[in-house]
Amino acid sequence: MTAAPPAPAVTPRWRVMINIVVGRVLFGTLYRVTTVGRDRVPKGGPVLFVGNHVGVLDGPMLPALAPRPTCVLVKRELFKGLLGWFLRFIGHIPVTRNSGDRSALTSAVAVLRSGGAVGIFPEGTRGRGDVSAVQQGAAWLALQGGATVVPVAFLGTRATGASTGSLPRLGSRMVVEFGHPVELAADTGLKGRARLAAATTQLRDVLADHVSEASVRHQVALPDDDGARAKA
């Protein structure tokens, strides 16, 4: 009988905490960032943060401003040299985008099943951030990890006309709002792909509504373009 493969190692909490210690100092110094809704996030148990993806700062801002130590799925291209070593050291998970990266998802599920928090950007790439479509990996993680989903709106991290790889001007106003926690409906009448598709639709609707409402509430509009032309 073949033994089951060992569960992926989970980064110690103190190392993941570095994201918060360093990130809050950095963003508090360089930008005018308003953070809303930290008190809405469950203090214990597995949590999956799902955010819209507008600019390059969304990734580091999520674990820096979250109220709990958070491991984020980060594109594999960044895991090179000293930066790659540091990203792994503070708990982030390399993922090959648009591929259904099984290794990355397995590592993220291990964090959730240990009672930790994971962040993911289900749109898969930076763009307008209006959540017009999402990939299924986020819903799969929530279901497999038994995680509560917390939508996160990132506003002001990229201006219209700016490249998706560019940094906002120093001192720019940005808003990060954590939404109310949601349990994805586990429809027992559906199986396999149909169940995952239904959960993905629910997750997309929850995140899209949260982003739209936060944009109106804080009077910070999303970019009018996806940044592709500026990047080219």
Side-chain angles (χ1 to χ4, degrees):
M1 185 174 182
T2 304
V10 175
T11 304
R13 179 185 174 92
W14 71 266
R15 280 164 46 185
V16 185
M17 282 288 295
I18 295 173
N19 289 280
I20 295 175
V21 175
V22 175
R24 290 189 186 175
V25 172
L26 182 65
F27 291 116
T29 302
L30 300 180
Y31 299 99
R32 294 182 296 125
V33 183
T34 300
T35 308
V36 180
R38 285 197 191 111
D39 57 328
R40 299 168 182 161
V41 178
K43 292 180 172 59
V47 165
L48 182 68
F49 293 110
V50 294
N52 65 317
H53 211 0
V54 181
V56 70
L57 290 184
D58 303 338
M61 287 176 76
L62 176 52
L65 302 178
R68 296 175 51 175
T70 302
C71 303
V72 177
L73 280 88
V74 178
K75 64 179 182 179
R76 192 173 296 275
E77 293 89 334
L78 292 180
F79 287 80
K80 297 177 182 177
L82 185 59
L83 174 61
W85 173 87
F86 183 67
L87 289 173
R88 289 182 187 275
F89 184 78
I90 59 178
H92 299 313
I93 302 167
V95 60
T96 301
R97 295 175 295 174
N98 306 316
S99 70
D101 190 331
R102 178 65 64 172
S103 174
L105 294 176
T106 301
S107 295
V109 166
V111 174
L112 294 172
R113 289 180 177 172
S114 72
V118 170
I120 188 172
F121 295 91
E123 290 170 291
T125 190
R126 305 173 203 134
R128 284 206 64 224
D130 58 352
V131 201
S132 59
V134 300
Q135 299 178 7
Q136 293 186 332
W140 187 89
L141 281 178
L143 295 176
Q144 294 296 316
T148 298
V149 171
V150 174
V152 188
F154 290 88
L155 304 170
T157 56
R158 184 177 67 83
T160 298
S163 163
T164 56
S166 64
L167 291 170
R169 289 180 300 176
L170 295 180
S172 297
R173 179 188 176 225
M174 294 180 280
V175 176
V176 178
E177 180 169 342
F178 295 87
H180 294 282
V182 174
E183 303 291 340
L184 294 188
D187 191 337
T188 56
L190 297 176
K191 301 295 182 183
R193 294 181 179 178
R195 181 169 177 259
L196 179 58
T200 298
T201 297
Q202 181 189 1
L203 184 148
R204 192 209 74 83
D205 291 345
V206 165
L207 180 55
D209 288 347
H210 174 61
V211 171
S212 176
E213 292 165 6
S215 176
V216 172
R217 188 160 44 246
H218 299 288
Q219 294 297 293
V220 180
L222 294 171
D224 289 335
D225 64 350
D226 62 8
R229 182 180 302 174
K231 186 175 182 180

